[in-house]
Amino acid sequence: MNPNEQKLINSLKQHAMDHHPTLRPHSFYEDKFEVSLFYVEDHAELLLTVRALVHLAMRTIDPELSLDTISERNEKYYVRHLLAIANRLMPKGEEALMDHLNLYYREEGLGIKRGKDQK
């Protein structure tokens, strides 16, 4: 085993428990995964999340659309709420793994070979 391979293995072992994976194998559907960091406090928050998604999607399709004054007044809150959810869903554990693999590829010279006409 070359030194870079050993360095990668040691780094992965050392950081294996630093991050929690975002996706886990689903307990019921064998060929599917479940998102482990998506959570809501209650049904009201789940309904708020769905309402925010629908409202912002409809506004994206038709910016002139005004569903009602309550939705329009809460639009900034909807955006903040969905950004918070998106942040929780980002695969932080997987990002760390990819950082270690990318470092290994650079050290081994296994990166993408670019031609003269590509930057």
Side-chain angles (χ1 to χ4, degrees):
M1 184 176 312
N2 75 33
N4 287 334
E5 289 173 343
Q6 188 61 47
K7 183 177 169 184
L8 172 66
I9 291 170
N10 291 341
S11 177
L12 292 175
K13 284 181 182 177
Q14 179 182 0
H15 296 287
M17 301 306 288
D18 285 354
H19 304 283
H20 302 287
T22 304
L23 296 177
R24 294 185 310 214
H26 196 279
S27 58
F28 183 72
Y29 299 106
E30 292 181 14
D31 59 340
K32 303 290 182 188
F33 292 89
E34 62 184 348
V35 179
S36 60
L37 298 176
F38 181 77
Y39 52 88
V40 292
E41 291 182 18
D42 52 20
H43 285 89
E45 187 179 359
L46 178 60
L47 291 174
L48 169 70
T49 301
V50 172
R51 181 181 174 102
L53 283 167
V54 169
H55 174 78
L56 294 173
M58 291 177 75
R59 289 285 291 202
T60 301
I61 293 169
D62 184 1
E64 300 299 318
L65 178 68
S66 179
L67 297 175
D68 54 45
T69 56
I70 294 172
S71 293
E72 196 171 308
R73 194 169 52 230
N74 291 329
E75 195 166 81
K76 286 183 182 179
Y77 176 74
Y78 290 164
V79 171
R80 284 189 201 105
H81 184 73
L82 292 179
L83 287 173
I85 289 171
N87 187 44
R88 285 193 304 226
L89 292 174
M90 290 301 294
K92 292 173 180 62
E94 290 87 345
E95 287 175 359
L97 171 65
M98 293 307 295
D99 287 342
H100 294 294
L101 291 175
N102 285 331
L103 177 63
Y104 169 74
Y105 285 147
R106 280 195 308 271
E107 289 174 348
E108 286 293 309
L110 298 174
I112 297 172
K113 304 291 184 197
R114 298 184 177 186
K116 294 178 184 178
D117 58 338
Q118 293 178 335
K119 292 184 180 183

